[in-house]
Amino acid sequence: MEKLKKFCDKYLRNYVVLLFVVAVVLNLVIETLARHSLIETMSFLADRPLTFLCNVLLIWAVLTPALLFRRRIFATCMLSLIWLALGITNGVILANRMTPFTIFDLSNLEDGLSIVSNYFSIKTMVIAVAAAVALVVAIIILFRKAPKMKEKVNYKRAAAAIVIIAVGTFGAFQLAIKAGVLDTFFGNLAYGYRDNGVPYSFLVTWMDQGIDKPDGYSAEEIEGIFTGGELGKDNVYTPGKDDDTDVENKPNILFLQLESFMDPTLVEGLEFSKDPIPNYRELMKEYSSGYLTVPAVGAGTANVEFEVMTGISARFFGPGEYPYKNVLRETTVESTPNDLKQLGYSSHAIHNHRGAFYGRNKVFSNMGFDTFTCLEYMNNVMKTPRNWAKDGILTEQIMDALESTEGQDYIYTISVQGHGKYPTEQLIEEPAISVTKANSEEQRWSYEYYVNQIYEMDLFVKELTDTLASYDEDVILVMYGDHLPALDITEESMKNDSLYQTQYIIWDNFGMEKEDKDLNAYELTAEVLDRLDISVGMMNKYQQNYKGEDDYLANLEALAYDMLYGEQYIYGGENPYEATDLKMGVKDIKIDEIVEIGGNYYIKGQNFTEYSKVSLDGEILETVYLGPTILALKDEVDPDDVSKMKVSQVEKNSEILSTTE
């Protein structure tokens, strides 16, 4: 004890050294929360000590501003709280999905809060709120009770220490990157965090955003990508002019993105009472199919649909980045809806979840969609035990979209039923499918819940294909899982040795030849259009004509940069796409009349849903949904204002999606 006291007296009175010790402890805590195991954290420290040290230096540099305060202990605790918040948040997220916490989750905070009840019980949320209140109280007490330095702060000395540590940390990071101790590209976000440490990896997601400018970027370089005359003599793409497809006799084109859908029999060590996906499996045998490599695992639905509809790999962007949350909020983009518009197709998006989730109600306008039917425009929606909408409702929505126009339609449908969180206790008392073999009780119940959801999704697939089989127009339907579910899956536990492969099917009702191959998600649309002899859109043309060449991916990334961040040389210097006046829902919501009965007002009309609310001058009034043709108004209004009342579709976070004219 005497030696320990001497050590503390000699070194820890130096506050800079004390801050370094705090940084070491914080990093141990952060990594343990991420790995859910102190043993794995110690293995990380032993295997990659320099990487661990780099993360400690980063934390240390952020803590050093505490030197500027007389209340150094309080300042250190407040700065440490930033890192603890990062560690706790990341640990909680990794307990519920397979991808770690990134800076982009902060931009998704509203979306995350909107579905928190799907993941946590009321009891857990109450405990979390109580803990937050206790933390605030503790901070107040700490501020009042924590000791204050008797001597004045030597600001020059403190500032010099802060600068030296910051510069030294930056230099150490540069050396570590050059030496390969730290990575700057994460092909797999989860593995990136595991191998490089949480603090550094989180910083990378903050600093590395967008698509990097290609070396030698110029008009000549971009226009020189196309050498086969596909874009005319000028090698500049002009929509319509450079599209040579005969649209006659082309089918309706449908894409169905199935939430967390996979073949559970690919997971080692599990057995089931019967096949969870018998219909999908049979369709894979009869129609073109294969593995689809997607950019996400356990989460990231929006990035999968981004890849499929734009032909751009999400891995061109920063780690964990969502184009839907930044660049596509600001600009229009070449996409399948915009491409097929040149051929007279109408385009519809369908999603049985919140319309504002991932900002789709705004982004889909920039992607060229004509309509977007989301949960707020659907009636008779059944829910899972985890409160996600079941997918059976989507057959009706898809058929409504097909019937809404006379010409050909492009429909992109995003399902949600298979979504987690998956329970670790029995939730379904009489399951259609039982897990007969698992590695633990928790795994058994998680998978039993999951396989029963995708079993129902499989039944929906059969219902949809049976309905489309008798439809009087040609239809091609492309189906695939958006990513693997957030379950305890590793590459070693997958029989196909991959966490990034789902399975797709290209179904049709007009007799296409079966042709199996494995594809990347960003290549899927170009492949489908190529089989239909449709060559429209610059990105589709590029993929159809240059796939397999040595510089294929490099040029694909260069085109993506030019389109979204550069000078748009490929379009002659000007973005040719305009945002659409996106119509929410394919069915018009109308007010036929407003009647007064017993002093209460009733609104009669068409296509109301549970999300229909009476509004007056933009203010939402208290409304009771009585059915698809009638609403009751509970608020009192001036009789002179009754004629000005409208009906708005209001999502659960009170955002107004649309209002009647």
Side-chain angles (χ1 to χ4, degrees), residues 436-466:
T436 57
K437 180 183 177 182
N439 296 318
S440 66
E441 280 293 291
E442 290 80 6
Q443 186 187 51
R444 175 189 174 187
W445 300 129
S446 294
Y447 273 90
E448 190 159 287
Y449 174 87
Y450 170 72
V451 297
N452 277 277
Q453 299 314 311
I454 64 167
Y455 176 69
E456 291 187 8
M457 295 168 70
D458 183 72
L459 294 176
F460 151 62
V461 166
K462 176 172 174 52
E463 178 190 33
L464 177 60
T465 51
D466 285 350

PDB file of all heavy atoms in Angstrom, residues 436-466:
ATOM      1  N   THR A 436     -36.814 -26.998 -33.305  1.00  0.00           N
ATOM      2  CA  THR A 436     -36.645 -28.285 -32.625  1.00  0.00           C
ATOM      3  C   THR A 436     -35.216 -28.513 -32.146  1.00  0.00           C
ATOM      4  O   THR A 436     -34.963 -29.420 -31.352  1.00  0.00           O
ATOM      5  CB  THR A 436     -37.057 -29.439 -33.553  1.00  0.00           C
ATOM      6  OG1 THR A 436     -36.277 -29.366 -34.763  1.00  0.00           O
ATOM      7  CG2 THR A 436     -38.542 -29.342 -33.901  1.00  0.00           C
ATOM      8  N   LYS A 437     -34.283 -27.682 -32.620  1.00  0.00           N
ATOM      9  CA  LYS A 437     -32.900 -27.798 -32.170  1.00  0.00           C
ATOM     10  C   LYS A 437     -32.262 -26.422 -32.206  1.00  0.00           C
ATOM     11  O   LYS A 437     -32.356 -25.703 -33.199  1.00  0.00           O
ATOM     12  CB  LYS A 437     -32.110 -28.760 -33.065  1.00  0.00           C
ATOM     13  CG  LYS A 437     -30.643 -28.922 -32.646  1.00  0.00           C
ATOM     14  CD  LYS A 437     -29.890 -29.833 -33.613  1.00  0.00           C
ATOM     15  CE  LYS A 437     -28.420 -29.928 -33.241  1.00  0.00           C
ATOM     16  NZ  LYS A 437     -27.651 -30.765 -34.196  1.00  0.00           N
ATOM     17  N   ALA A 438     -31.616 -26.033 -31.094  1.00  0.00           N
ATOM     18  CA  ALA A 438     -30.930 -24.746 -31.003  1.00  0.00           C
ATOM     19  C   ALA A 438     -29.805 -24.878 -29.989  1.00  0.00           C
ATOM     20  O   ALA A 438     -29.739 -25.844 -29.219  1.00  0.00           O
ATOM     21  CB  ALA A 438     -31.903 -23.642 -30.604  1.00  0.00           C
ATOM     22  N   ASN A 439     -28.924 -23.891 -29.976  1.00  0.00           N
ATOM     23  CA  ASN A 439     -27.773 -23.941 -29.078  1.00  0.00           C
ATOM     24  C   ASN A 439     -28.093 -23.455 -27.674  1.00  0.00           C
ATOM     25  O   ASN A 439     -27.314 -23.670 -26.745  1.00  0.00           O
ATOM     26  CB  ASN A 439     -26.625 -23.108 -29.658  1.00  0.00           C
ATOM     27  CG  ASN A 439     -26.122 -23.677 -30.968  1.00  0.00           C
ATOM     28  OD1 ASN A 439     -25.976 -24.891 -31.111  1.00  0.00           O
ATOM     29  ND2 ASN A 439     -25.846 -22.804 -31.931  1.00  0.00           N
ATOM     30  N   SER A 440     -29.229 -22.760 -27.499  1.00  0.00           N
ATOM     31  CA  SER A 440     -29.623 -22.257 -26.189  1.00  0.00           C
ATOM     32  C   SER A 440     -31.104 -21.951 -26.209  1.00  0.00           C
ATOM     33  O   SER A 440     -31.724 -21.867 -27.276  1.00  0.00           O
ATOM     34  CB  SER A 440     -28.835 -20.992 -25.833  1.00  0.00           C
ATOM     35  OG  SER A 440     -29.186 -19.928 -26.709  1.00  0.00           O
ATOM     36  N   GLU A 441     -31.665 -21.759 -25.027  1.00  0.00           N
ATOM     37  CA  GLU A 441     -33.084 -21.402 -24.936  1.00  0.00           C
ATOM     38  C   GLU A 441     -33.339 -20.044 -25.577  1.00  0.00           C
ATOM     39  O   GLU A 441     -34.331 -19.850 -26.281  1.00  0.00           O
ATOM     40  CB  GLU A 441     -33.535 -21.387 -23.475  1.00  0.00           C
ATOM     41  CG  GLU A 441     -33.836 -22.748 -22.893  1.00  0.00           C
ATOM     42  CD  GLU A 441     -35.060 -23.390 -23.543  1.00  0.00           C
ATOM     43  OE1 GLU A 441     -36.177 -22.892 -23.332  1.00  0.00           O
ATOM     44  OE2 GLU A 441     -34.884 -24.390 -24.271  1.00  0.00           O
ATOM     45  N   GLU A 442     -32.434 -19.077 -25.319  1.00  0.00           N
ATOM     46  CA  GLU A 442     -32.609 -17.739 -25.889  1.00  0.00           C
ATOM     47  C   GLU A 442     -32.600 -17.794 -27.418  1.00  0.00           C
ATOM     48  O   GLU A 442     -33.416 -17.148 -28.085  1.00  0.00           O
ATOM     49  CB  GLU A 442     -31.506 -16.799 -25.390  1.00  0.00           C
ATOM     50  CG  GLU A 442     -31.594 -16.431 -23.924  1.00  0.00           C
ATOM     51  CD  GLU A 442     -31.052 -17.512 -23.012  1.00  0.00           C
ATOM     52  OE1 GLU A 442     -30.493 -18.522 -23.527  1.00  0.00           O
ATOM     53  OE2 GLU A 442     -31.190 -17.368 -21.782  1.00  0.00           O
ATOM     54  N   GLN A 443     -31.668 -18.589 -27.972  1.00  0.00           N
ATOM     55  CA  GLN A 443     -31.607 -18.714 -29.426  1.00  0.00           C
ATOM     56  C   GLN A 443     -32.870 -19.382 -29.958  1.00  0.00           C
ATOM     57  O   GLN A 443     -33.404 -18.975 -31.001  1.00  0.00           O
ATOM     58  CB  GLN A 443     -30.383 -19.526 -29.843  1.00  0.00           C
ATOM     59  CG  GLN A 443     -30.197 -19.575 -31.356  1.00  0.00           C
ATOM     60  CD  GLN A 443     -29.087 -20.518 -31.780  1.00  0.00           C
ATOM     61  OE1 GLN A 443     -29.052 -21.672 -31.359  1.00  0.00           O
ATOM     62  NE2 GLN A 443     -28.173 -20.029 -32.622  1.00  0.00           N
ATOM     63  N   ARG A 444     -33.350 -20.366 -29.246  1.00  0.00           N
ATOM     64  CA  ARG A 444     -34.567 -21.063 -29.689  1.00  0.00           C
ATOM     65  C   ARG A 444     -35.728 -20.091 -29.818  1.00  0.00           C
ATOM     66  O   ARG A 444     -36.415 -20.070 -30.844  1.00  0.00           O
ATOM     67  CB  ARG A 444     -34.919 -22.170 -28.695  1.00  0.00           C
ATOM     68  CG  ARG A 444     -36.249 -22.859 -29.012  1.00  0.00           C
ATOM     69  CD  ARG A 444     -36.676 -23.793 -27.903  1.00  0.00           C
ATOM     70  NE  ARG A 444     -38.002 -24.334 -28.152  1.00  0.00           N
ATOM     71  CZ  ARG A 444     -38.683 -25.076 -27.290  1.00  0.00           C
ATOM     72  NH1 ARG A 444     -38.151 -25.361 -26.099  1.00  0.00           N
ATOM     73  NH2 ARG A 444     -39.883 -25.523 -27.587  1.00  0.00           N
ATOM     74  N   TRP A 445     -35.962 -19.271 -28.780  1.00  0.00           N
ATOM     75  CA  TRP A 445     -37.128 -18.380 -28.823  1.00  0.00           C
ATOM     76  C   TRP A 445     -36.948 -17.259 -29.840  1.00  0.00           C
ATOM     77  O   TRP A 445     -37.915 -16.857 -30.498  1.00  0.00           O
ATOM     78  CB  TRP A 445     -37.398 -17.818 -27.430  1.00  0.00           C
ATOM     79  CG  TRP A 445     -37.678 -18.864 -26.397  1.00  0.00           C
ATOM     80  CD1 TRP A 445     -37.090 -19.000 -25.170  1.00  0.00           C
ATOM     81  CD2 TRP A 445     -38.613 -19.956 -26.499  1.00  0.00           C
ATOM     82  NE1 TRP A 445     -37.589 -20.088 -24.508  1.00  0.00           N
ATOM     83  CE2 TRP A 445     -38.532 -20.695 -25.293  1.00  0.00           C
ATOM     84  CE3 TRP A 445     -39.506 -20.385 -27.486  1.00  0.00           C
ATOM     85  CZ2 TRP A 445     -39.301 -21.824 -25.047  1.00  0.00           C
ATOM     86  CZ3 TRP A 445     -40.271 -21.513 -27.244  1.00  0.00           C
ATOM     87  CH2 TRP A 445     -40.175 -22.216 -26.049  1.00  0.00           C
ATOM     88  N   SER A 446     -35.731 -16.757 -29.981  1.00  0.00           N
ATOM     89  CA  SER A 446     -35.491 -15.705 -30.983  1.00  0.00           C
ATOM     90  C   SER A 446     -35.790 -16.211 -32.386  1.00  0.00           C
ATOM     91  O   SER A 446     -36.486 -15.560 -33.169  1.00  0.00           O
ATOM     92  CB  SER A 446     -34.038 -15.225 -30.908  1.00  0.00           C
ATOM     93  OG  SER A 446     -33.777 -14.572 -29.694  1.00  0.00           O
ATOM     94  N   TYR A 447     -35.255 -17.389 -32.690  1.00  0.00           N
ATOM     95  CA  TYR A 447     -35.463 -17.940 -34.021  1.00  0.00           C
ATOM     96  C   TYR A 447     -36.895 -18.417 -34.224  1.00  0.00           C
ATOM     97  O   TYR A 447     -37.420 -18.348 -35.334  1.00  0.00           O
ATOM     98  CB  TYR A 447     -34.478 -19.079 -34.295  1.00  0.00           C
ATOM     99  CG  TYR A 447     -33.169 -18.590 -34.842  1.00  0.00           C
ATOM    100  CD1 TYR A 447     -32.122 -18.265 -33.986  1.00  0.00           C
ATOM    101  CD2 TYR A 447     -32.975 -18.417 -36.210  1.00  0.00           C
ATOM    102  CE1 TYR A 447     -30.915 -17.796 -34.477  1.00  0.00           C
ATOM    103  CE2 TYR A 447     -31.778 -17.952 -36.716  1.00  0.00           C
ATOM    104  CZ  TYR A 447     -30.747 -17.641 -35.841  1.00  0.00           C
ATOM    105  OH  TYR A 447     -29.567 -17.168 -36.339  1.00  0.00           O
ATOM    106  N   GLU A 448     -37.530 -18.892 -33.163  1.00  0.00           N
ATOM    107  CA  GLU A 448     -38.916 -19.342 -33.325  1.00  0.00           C
ATOM    108  C   GLU A 448     -39.821 -18.174 -33.677  1.00  0.00           C
ATOM    109  O   GLU A 448     -40.694 -18.281 -34.546  1.00  0.00           O
ATOM    110  CB  GLU A 448     -39.404 -20.038 -32.058  1.00  0.00           C
ATOM    111  CG  GLU A 448     -40.747 -20.727 -32.251  1.00  0.00           C
ATOM    112  CD  GLU A 448     -40.986 -21.813 -31.227  1.00  0.00           C
ATOM    113  OE1 GLU A 448     -40.350 -22.884 -31.330  1.00  0.00           O
ATOM    114  OE2 GLU A 448     -41.802 -21.579 -30.315  1.00  0.00           O
ATOM    115  N   TYR A 449     -39.603 -17.032 -33.012  1.00  0.00           N
ATOM    116  CA  TYR A 449     -40.364 -15.839 -33.377  1.00  0.00           C
ATOM    117  C   TYR A 449     -40.051 -15.439 -34.819  1.00  0.00           C
ATOM    118  O   TYR A 449     -40.954 -15.179 -35.626  1.00  0.00           O
ATOM    119  CB  TYR A 449     -40.028 -14.683 -32.437  1.00  0.00           C
ATOM    120  CG  TYR A 449     -40.672 -13.374 -32.855  1.00  0.00           C
ATOM    121  CD1 TYR A 449     -41.950 -13.041 -32.443  1.00  0.00           C
ATOM    122  CD2 TYR A 449     -39.998 -12.489 -33.697  1.00  0.00           C
ATOM    123  CE1 TYR A 449     -42.548 -11.851 -32.848  1.00  0.00           C
ATOM    124  CE2 TYR A 449     -40.581 -11.304 -34.100  1.00  0.00           C
ATOM    125  CZ  TYR A 449     -41.859 -10.990 -33.673  1.00  0.00           C
ATOM    126  OH  TYR A 449     -42.441  -9.814 -34.095  1.00  0.00           O
ATOM    127  N   TYR A 450     -38.760 -15.405 -35.139  1.00  0.00           N
ATOM    128  CA  TYR A 450     -38.336 -14.964 -36.481  1.00  0.00           C
ATOM    129  C   TYR A 450     -38.895 -15.859 -37.581  1.00  0.00           C
ATOM    130  O   TYR A 450     -39.465 -15.365 -38.567  1.00  0.00           O
ATOM    131  CB  TYR A 450     -36.811 -14.919 -36.552  1.00  0.00           C
ATOM    132  CG  TYR A 450     -36.291 -14.706 -37.948  1.00  0.00           C
ATOM    133  CD1 TYR A 450     -36.423 -13.477 -38.579  1.00  0.00           C
ATOM    134  CD2 TYR A 450     -35.682 -15.748 -38.656  1.00  0.00           C
ATOM    135  CE1 TYR A 450     -35.965 -13.283 -39.881  1.00  0.00           C
ATOM    136  CE2 TYR A 450     -35.219 -15.561 -39.939  1.00  0.00           C
ATOM    137  CZ  TYR A 450     -35.365 -14.332 -40.555  1.00  0.00           C
ATOM    138  OH  TYR A 450     -34.928 -14.144 -41.845  1.00  0.00           O
ATOM    139  N   VAL A 451     -38.749 -17.166 -37.443  1.00  0.00           N
ATOM    140  CA  VAL A 451     -39.166 -18.055 -38.537  1.00  0.00           C
ATOM    141  C   VAL A 451     -40.685 -18.035 -38.722  1.00  0.00           C
ATOM    142  O   VAL A 451     -41.178 -18.239 -39.840  1.00  0.00           O
ATOM    143  CB  VAL A 451     -38.670 -19.505 -38.343  1.00  0.00           C
ATOM    144  CG1 VAL A 451     -37.157 -19.555 -38.366  1.00  0.00           C
ATOM    145  CG2 VAL A 451     -39.228 -20.125 -37.074  1.00  0.00           C
ATOM    146  N   ASN A 452     -41.424 -17.756 -37.663  1.00  0.00           N
ATOM    147  CA  ASN A 452     -42.877 -17.662 -37.831  1.00  0.00           C
ATOM    148  C   ASN A 452     -43.273 -16.386 -38.558  1.00  0.00           C
ATOM    149  O   ASN A 452     -44.276 -16.372 -39.280  1.00  0.00           O
ATOM    150  CB  ASN A 452     -43.575 -17.763 -36.473  1.00  0.00           C
ATOM    151  CG  ASN A 452     -43.747 -19.202 -36.030  1.00  0.00           C
ATOM    152  OD1 ASN A 452     -44.681 -19.883 -36.432  1.00  0.00           O
ATOM    153  ND2 ASN A 452     -42.807 -19.696 -35.221  1.00  0.00           N
ATOM    154  N   GLN A 453     -42.491 -15.339 -38.403  1.00  0.00           N
ATOM    155  CA  GLN A 453     -42.771 -14.115 -39.172  1.00  0.00           C
ATOM    156  C   GLN A 453     -42.449 -14.334 -40.657  1.00  0.00           C
ATOM    157  O   GLN A 453     -43.231 -13.964 -41.535  1.00  0.00           O
ATOM    158  CB  GLN A 453     -41.967 -12.933 -38.621  1.00  0.00           C
ATOM    159  CG  GLN A 453     -42.277 -12.589 -37.179  1.00  0.00           C
ATOM    160  CD  GLN A 453     -43.753 -12.538 -36.875  1.00  0.00           C
ATOM    161  OE1 GLN A 453     -44.536 -11.901 -37.597  1.00  0.00           O
ATOM    162  NE2 GLN A 453     -44.173 -13.198 -35.804  1.00  0.00           N
ATOM    163  N   ILE A 454     -41.304 -14.938 -40.949  1.00  0.00           N
ATOM    164  CA  ILE A 454     -40.974 -15.108 -42.364  1.00  0.00           C
ATOM    165  C   ILE A 454     -41.807 -16.224 -43.001  1.00  0.00           C
ATOM    166  O   ILE A 454     -41.975 -16.242 -44.226  1.00  0.00           O
ATOM    167  CB  ILE A 454     -39.465 -15.330 -42.596  1.00  0.00           C
ATOM    168  CG1 ILE A 454     -38.979 -16.628 -41.967  1.00  0.00           C
ATOM    169  CG2 ILE A 454     -38.661 -14.152 -42.072  1.00  0.00           C
ATOM    170  CD1 ILE A 454     -37.593 -17.016 -42.456  1.00  0.00           C
ATOM    171  N   TYR A 455     -42.327 -17.128 -42.186  1.00  0.00           N
ATOM    172  CA  TYR A 455     -43.265 -18.117 -42.718  1.00  0.00           C
ATOM    173  C   TYR A 455     -44.518 -17.402 -43.235  1.00  0.00           C
ATOM    174  O   TYR A 455     -45.021 -17.722 -44.318  1.00  0.00           O
ATOM    175  CB  TYR A 455     -43.630 -19.123 -41.635  1.00  0.00           C
ATOM    176  CG  TYR A 455     -44.680 -20.138 -42.050  1.00  0.00           C
ATOM    177  CD1 TYR A 455     -44.399 -21.116 -43.004  1.00  0.00           C
ATOM    178  CD2 TYR A 455     -45.957 -20.116 -41.487  1.00  0.00           C
ATOM    179  CE1 TYR A 455     -45.362 -22.051 -43.390  1.00  0.00           C
ATOM    180  CE2 TYR A 455     -46.921 -21.036 -41.865  1.00  0.00           C
ATOM    181  CZ  TYR A 455     -46.622 -21.999 -42.810  1.00  0.00           C
ATOM    182  OH  TYR A 455     -47.575 -22.910 -43.193  1.00  0.00           O
ATOM    183  N   GLU A 456     -45.001 -16.425 -42.475  1.00  0.00           N
ATOM    184  CA  GLU A 456     -46.152 -15.646 -42.935  1.00  0.00           C
ATOM    185  C   GLU A 456     -45.776 -14.785 -44.139  1.00  0.00           C
ATOM    186  O   GLU A 456     -46.589 -14.583 -45.055  1.00  0.00           O
ATOM    187  CB  GLU A 456     -46.685 -14.770 -41.801  1.00  0.00           C
ATOM    188  CG  GLU A 456     -47.333 -15.564 -40.678  1.00  0.00           C
ATOM    189  CD  GLU A 456     -47.996 -14.673 -39.642  1.00  0.00           C
ATOM    190  OE1 GLU A 456     -48.089 -13.456 -39.859  1.00  0.00           O
ATOM    191  OE2 GLU A 456     -48.434 -15.207 -38.598  1.00  0.00           O
ATOM    192  N   MET A 457     -44.552 -14.269 -44.161  1.00  0.00           N
ATOM    193  CA  MET A 457     -44.085 -13.517 -45.326  1.00  0.00           C
ATOM    194  C   MET A 457     -44.031 -14.422 -46.552  1.00  0.00           C
ATOM    195  O   MET A 457     -44.349 -14.000 -47.668  1.00  0.00           O
ATOM    196  CB  MET A 457     -42.712 -12.905 -45.046  1.00  0.00           C
ATOM    197  CG  MET A 457     -42.714 -11.851 -43.949  1.00  0.00           C
ATOM    198  SD  MET A 457     -41.053 -11.382 -43.396  1.00  0.00           S
ATOM    199  CE  MET A 457     -40.453 -10.488 -44.829  1.00  0.00           C
ATOM    200  N   ASP A 458     -43.645 -15.667 -46.352  1.00  0.00           N
ATOM    201  CA  ASP A 458     -43.609 -16.643 -47.438  1.00  0.00           C
ATOM    202  C   ASP A 458     -45.019 -16.905 -47.973  1.00  0.00           C
ATOM    203  O   ASP A 458     -45.218 -17.041 -49.190  1.00  0.00           O
ATOM    204  CB  ASP A 458     -42.969 -17.937 -46.931  1.00  0.00           C
ATOM    205  CG  ASP A 458     -42.825 -18.988 -48.017  1.00  0.00           C
ATOM    206  OD1 ASP A 458     -41.971 -18.812 -48.899  1.00  0.00           O
ATOM    207  OD2 ASP A 458     -43.582 -19.977 -47.983  1.00  0.00           O
ATOM    208  N   LEU A 459     -45.999 -16.947 -47.079  1.00  0.00           N
ATOM    209  CA  LEU A 459     -47.389 -17.111 -47.512  1.00  0.00           C
ATOM    210  C   LEU A 459     -47.851 -15.894 -48.310  1.00  0.00           C
ATOM    211  O   LEU A 459     -48.591 -16.015 -49.296  1.00  0.00           O
ATOM    212  CB  LEU A 459     -48.301 -17.320 -46.300  1.00  0.00           C
ATOM    213  CG  LEU A 459     -48.100 -18.621 -45.511  1.00  0.00           C
ATOM    214  CD1 LEU A 459     -49.001 -18.635 -44.285  1.00  0.00           C
ATOM    215  CD2 LEU A 459     -48.374 -19.835 -46.393  1.00  0.00           C
ATOM    216  N   PHE A 460     -47.398 -14.717 -47.880  1.00  0.00           N
ATOM    217  CA  PHE A 460     -47.706 -13.494 -48.632  1.00  0.00           C
ATOM    218  C   PHE A 460     -47.101 -13.552 -50.036  1.00  0.00           C
ATOM    219  O   PHE A 460     -47.740 -13.162 -51.025  1.00  0.00           O
ATOM    220  CB  PHE A 460     -47.189 -12.278 -47.862  1.00  0.00           C
ATOM    221  CG  PHE A 460     -46.813 -11.101 -48.713  1.00  0.00           C
ATOM    222  CD1 PHE A 460     -47.756 -10.460 -49.511  1.00  0.00           C
ATOM    223  CD2 PHE A 460     -45.503 -10.634 -48.730  1.00  0.00           C
ATOM    224  CE1 PHE A 460     -47.388  -9.376 -50.309  1.00  0.00           C
ATOM    225  CE2 PHE A 460     -45.135  -9.565 -49.514  1.00  0.00           C
ATOM    226  CZ  PHE A 460     -46.085  -8.930 -50.316  1.00  0.00           C
ATOM    227  N   VAL A 461     -45.876 -14.049 -50.153  1.00  0.00           N
ATOM    228  CA  VAL A 461     -45.237 -14.186 -51.471  1.00  0.00           C
ATOM    229  C   VAL A 461     -46.085 -15.071 -52.382  1.00  0.00           C
ATOM    230  O   VAL A 461     -46.281 -14.770 -53.564  1.00  0.00           O
ATOM    231  CB  VAL A 461     -43.804 -14.745 -51.321  1.00  0.00           C
ATOM    232  CG1 VAL A 461     -43.265 -15.220 -52.667  1.00  0.00           C
ATOM    233  CG2 VAL A 461     -42.880 -13.688 -50.725  1.00  0.00           C
ATOM    234  N   LYS A 462     -46.595 -16.164 -51.824  1.00  0.00           N
ATOM    235  CA  LYS A 462     -47.443 -17.052 -52.630  1.00  0.00           C
ATOM    236  C   LYS A 462     -48.734 -16.354 -53.035  1.00  0.00           C
ATOM    237  O   LYS A 462     -49.164 -16.447 -54.194  1.00  0.00           O
ATOM    238  CB  LYS A 462     -47.761 -18.333 -51.859  1.00  0.00           C
ATOM    239  CG  LYS A 462     -48.719 -19.265 -52.616  1.00  0.00           C
ATOM    240  CD  LYS A 462     -48.875 -20.605 -51.961  1.00  0.00           C
ATOM    241  CE  LYS A 462     -49.931 -21.472 -52.645  1.00  0.00           C
ATOM    242  NZ  LYS A 462     -49.730 -21.585 -54.103  1.00  0.00           N
ATOM    243  N   GLU A 463     -49.352 -15.654 -52.091  1.00  0.00           N
ATOM    244  CA  GLU A 463     -50.593 -14.944 -52.410  1.00  0.00           C
ATOM    245  C   GLU A 463     -50.357 -13.915 -53.514  1.00  0.00           C
ATOM    246  O   GLU A 463     -51.155 -13.793 -54.453  1.00  0.00           O
ATOM    247  CB  GLU A 463     -51.132 -14.243 -51.162  1.00  0.00           C
ATOM    248  CG  GLU A 463     -52.396 -13.431 -51.420  1.00  0.00           C
ATOM    249  CD  GLU A 463     -52.778 -12.553 -50.254  1.00  0.00           C
ATOM    250  OE1 GLU A 463     -51.884 -12.074 -49.539  1.00  0.00           O
ATOM    251  OE2 GLU A 463     -53.988 -12.317 -50.070  1.00  0.00           O
ATOM    252  N   LEU A 464     -49.252 -13.197 -53.411  1.00  0.00           N
ATOM    253  CA  LEU A 464     -48.953 -12.161 -54.404  1.00  0.00           C
ATOM    254  C   LEU A 464     -48.690 -12.776 -55.774  1.00  0.00           C
ATOM    255  O   LEU A 464     -49.230 -12.314 -56.789  1.00  0.00           O
ATOM    256  CB  LEU A 464     -47.746 -11.343 -53.952  1.00  0.00           C
ATOM    257  CG  LEU A 464     -47.255 -10.269 -54.924  1.00  0.00           C
ATOM    258  CD1 LEU A 464     -48.346  -9.240 -55.201  1.00  0.00           C
ATOM    259  CD2 LEU A 464     -45.993  -9.593 -54.391  1.00  0.00           C
ATOM    260  N   THR A 465     -47.853 -13.812 -55.836  1.00  0.00           N
ATOM    261  CA  THR A 465     -47.539 -14.414 -57.139  1.00  0.00           C
ATOM    262  C   THR A 465     -48.762 -15.102 -57.743  1.00  0.00           C
ATOM    263  O   THR A 465     -48.941 -15.076 -58.963  1.00  0.00           O
ATOM    264  CB  THR A 465     -46.372 -15.412 -57.010  1.00  0.00           C
ATOM    265  OG1 THR A 465     -46.639 -16.339 -55.948  1.00  0.00           O
ATOM    266  CG2 THR A 465     -45.068 -14.677 -56.709  1.00  0.00           C
ATOM    267  N   ASP A 466     -49.606 -15.697 -56.899  1.00  0.00           N
ATOM    268  CA  ASP A 466     -50.844 -16.296 -57.414  1.00  0.00           C
ATOM    269  C   ASP A 466     -51.753 -15.228 -58.002  1.00  0.00           C
ATOM    270  O   ASP A 466     -52.375 -15.431 -59.058  1.00  0.00           O
ATOM    271  CB  ASP A 466     -51.586 -17.043 -56.301  1.00  0.00           C
ATOM    272  CG  ASP A 466     -50.929 -18.372 -55.946  1.00  0.00           C
ATOM    273  OD1 ASP A 466     -50.018 -18.800 -56.690  1.00  0.00           O
ATOM    274  OD2 ASP A 466     -51.323 -18.968 -54.926  1.00  0.00           O
TER     275      ASP A 466
END
